[in-house]
């Protein structure tokens, strides 16, 4: 007889536990709701009461560790270890000694490069800040010519010196042209005798040095441009005091006169042979002409020799690499020179390099070819240029062909027995 369900217990499907077997199906027990924190605190026994057996202390869940494979790829900690806290060096790979040496070498190279750039710039700025200025270059009537052409002027002004004489005001005791080519040829230094008979714009034909006394630096620039056809790019002037100061600043210059010279007008009394000249002696050596059989032409040769010696000493490594000598020399040299108002640091650098190049064995140093030195005019005894040779010289410079100028200079030296 089949069994009847017990009505007091309800249906068997709702009261009886499921059984394992072919005719039964497992059903999971319902998940109990986790009480919130307030309920848990209420369910915990008071501190004084003993904890029931089997009870488990509640603990805050710990953050999971990063997967081992991911940690290994990041390279932050070995396998099986936790990552190092942020801001610490635990587990970081230190650069090898080879890498540290390479970094130090790069830093040293950067510092050396910065010093190599900053040091010459500082020297140039020191000289630039000490320069005197004059408005020498106005609107030129001559078209621009290739290369850089500098007009160098030595004034015979007695201002600030103990040199006497009957020459009030200022005239040009020496006139030189420095041409630095664009094409990489030799630099050229040309002396123009101060008694050269030329046309002064707006006046008349007279000695070229009269242009300076008539109209100062601007008129002298215009006169030189008219006589040569060269466009003057910059102007450099020094007086007696400045010339002596420059020589003293570089520590003196060595000159080798072939004969003894005694010239009271130039306040010069020296023996023959090589000797180091200070500023006053070098100034007298540059000015003397009455004891020279070639007169003003011989003086031009000595002036170029002195300029070469000053350029060699002023740009020597022994001076430039010694800041205790280089900066005083730059300041003294700058204060001894007067330049155009537009002259900048780049112009000074080109001038210094050009002077050194023209004074070296590869440079060209000469005087304007001369035909006569004894012609007498209303202006006194004057110097006449050799028109054919002088035109060839100026044409070569206007074309920036300084190799052609070398041939003219060699021919001149051969004619003088040099």
């Amino acid at each position: 007889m089949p069994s009847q369900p017990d009505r007091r217990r309800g249906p068997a499907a709702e009261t009886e536990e499921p059984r394992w077997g072919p005719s039964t199906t497992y059903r999971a027990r319902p998940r109990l709701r986790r009480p919130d924190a307030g309920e848990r605190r209420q369910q915990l026994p008071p501190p004084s009461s003993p904890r029931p057996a089997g009870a488990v202390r509640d603990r805050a869940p710990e953050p999971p560790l990063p997967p081992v494979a991911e940690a290994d790829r990041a390279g932050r900690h070995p396998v099986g270890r936790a990552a190092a806290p942020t801001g610490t060096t635990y587990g970081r790979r230190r650069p090898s000694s080879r890498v540290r040496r390479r970094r130090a070498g790069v830093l040293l190279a950067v510092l050396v490069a910065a010093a190599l750039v900053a040091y010459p710039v500082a020297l140039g700025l020191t000289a630039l800040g000490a320069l005197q200025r004059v408005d020498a270059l106005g609107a030129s009537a001559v078209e621009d010519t290739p290369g850089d052409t500098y007009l160098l002027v030595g004034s015979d002004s007695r201002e600030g010196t103990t040199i006497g004489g009957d020459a009030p005001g200022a005239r040009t005791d020496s006139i030189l042209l420095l041409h630095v080519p664009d094409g990489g040829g030799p630099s050229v230094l040309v002396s123009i005798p101060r008694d050269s008979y030329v046309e002064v714009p707006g006046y008349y034909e007279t000695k070229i040095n009269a242009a300076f006394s008539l109209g100062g630096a601007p008129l002298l620039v215009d006169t030189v441009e008219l006589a040569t056809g060269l466009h003057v790019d910059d102007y450099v002037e020094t007086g007696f005091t400045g010339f002596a100061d420059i020589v003293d600043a570089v520590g003196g210059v060595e000159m080798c006169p072939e004969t003894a010279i005694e010239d009271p007008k130039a306040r010069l009394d020296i023996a023959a042979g090589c000797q180091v000249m200070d500023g006053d002696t070098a100034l007298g050596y540059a000015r003397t002409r009455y004891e020279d059989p070639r007169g003003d032409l011989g003086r031009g040769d000595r002036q170029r020799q002195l300029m070469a010696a000053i350029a060699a000493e002023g740009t020597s490594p022994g001076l430039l690499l010694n800041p205790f000598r280089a900066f005083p020399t730059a300041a003294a040299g700058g204060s001894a020179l007067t330049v155009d108002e537009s002259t900048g640091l780049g112009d000074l650098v080109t001038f210094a390099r050009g002077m050194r190049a023209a004074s070296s064995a590869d440079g060209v140093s000469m005087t304007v070819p001369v035909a006569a030195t004894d012609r007498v005019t209303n202006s006194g005894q004057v110097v006449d240029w050799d028109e054919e040779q002088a035109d060839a010289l100026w044409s070569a410079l206007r074309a920036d062909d300084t190799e052609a100028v070398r041939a003219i200079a060699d021919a001149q030296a051969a004619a003088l027995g040099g």
Side-chain angles (χ1 to χ4, degrees), residues 198-204 211 214 218-227:
V198 298
E199 180 183 351
V200 177
Y203 289 87
Y204 41 79
L214 291 171
L219 184 57
L220 178 62
V221 171
D222 292 342
T223 302
V224 171
E225 288 186 336
L226 178 63

Side-chain angles (χ1 to χ4, degrees), residues 151-228:
L151 177 60
L152 283 66
V153 175
S155 168
D156 66 354
S157 173
R158 270 76 171 162
E159 183 179 356
T161 71
T162 58
I163 299 174
D166 56 355
R171 293 175 175 81
T172 50
D173 200 57
S174 58
I175 304 173
L176 301 97
L177 280 176
L178 171 67
H179 184 80
V180 183
D182 289 335
S187 296
V188 177
L189 186 62
V190 181
S191 292
I192 299 178
R194 70 174 193 171
D195 293 337
S196 298
Y197 197 66
V198 298
E199 180 183 351
V200 177
Y203 289 87
Y204 41 79
E205 285 189 319
T206 184
K207 296 179 180 180
I208 194 172
N209 72 332
F212 191 80
S213 60
L214 291 171
L219 184 57
L220 178 62
V221 171
D222 292 342
T223 302
V224 171
E225 288 186 336
L226 178 63
T228 65

Side-chain angles (χ1 to χ4, degrees), residues 193-396:
R194 70 174 193 171
D195 293 337
S196 298
Y197 197 66
V198 298
E199 180 183 351
V200 177
Y203 289 87
Y204 41 79
E205 285 189 319
T206 184
K207 296 179 180 180
I208 194 172
N209 72 332
F212 191 80
S213 60
L214 291 171
L219 184 57
L220 178 62
V221 171
D222 292 342
T223 302
V224 171
E225 288 186 336
L226 178 63
T228 65
L230 280 166
H231 179 84
V232 174
D233 298 294
D234 217 327
Y235 176 85
V236 181
E237 175 192 333
T238 185
F240 282 168
T241 303
F243 184 87
D245 289 344
I246 292 175
V247 174
D248 288 334
V250 299
V253 292
E254 184 180 28
M255 303 303 298
C256 300
E258 297 180 356
T259 60
I261 303 175
E262 184 178 355
D263 185 355
K265 292 186 177 182
R267 305 177 68 174
L268 180 67
D269 186 4
I270 58 175
C274 294
Q275 54 198 286
V276 177
M277 298 183 180
D278 61 9
D280 290 337
T281 304
L283 176 60
Y285 188 69
R287 294 183 58 230
T288 184
R289 62 171 176 165
Y290 294 104
E291 300 301 320
D292 191 324
R294 297 181 61 229
D296 202 35
L297 300 182
R299 178 167 64 175
D301 292 342
R302 287 188 296 276
Q303 290 171 349
R304 294 197 309 277
Q305 292 169 6
L306 281 168
M307 295 295 289
I310 293 172
E313 290 293 334
T315 58
S316 65
L319 187 149
L320 293 179
L321 297 179
N322 184 351
F324 298 102
R325 291 187 59 198
F327 282 97
T329 300
S335 62
L337 299 176
T338 299
V339 299
D340 183 68
E341 293 179 348
S342 64
T343 301
L345 182 58
D347 301 316
L348 287 182
V349 172
T350 303
F351 172 71
R353 290 178 176 174
M355 282 299 303
R356 183 176 178 85
S359 305
S360 66
D362 295 331
V364 178
S365 178
M366 64 176 296
T367 301
V368 177
V370 170
T373 61
D374 54 358
R375 187 166 71 92
V376 178
T377 67
N378 292 334
S379 302
Q381 187 170 318
V382 299
V383 173
D384 291 321
W385 294 349
D386 184 321
E387 294 184 4
E388 182 179 352
Q389 290 296 314
D391 288 346
L393 169 64
W394 305 134
S395 297

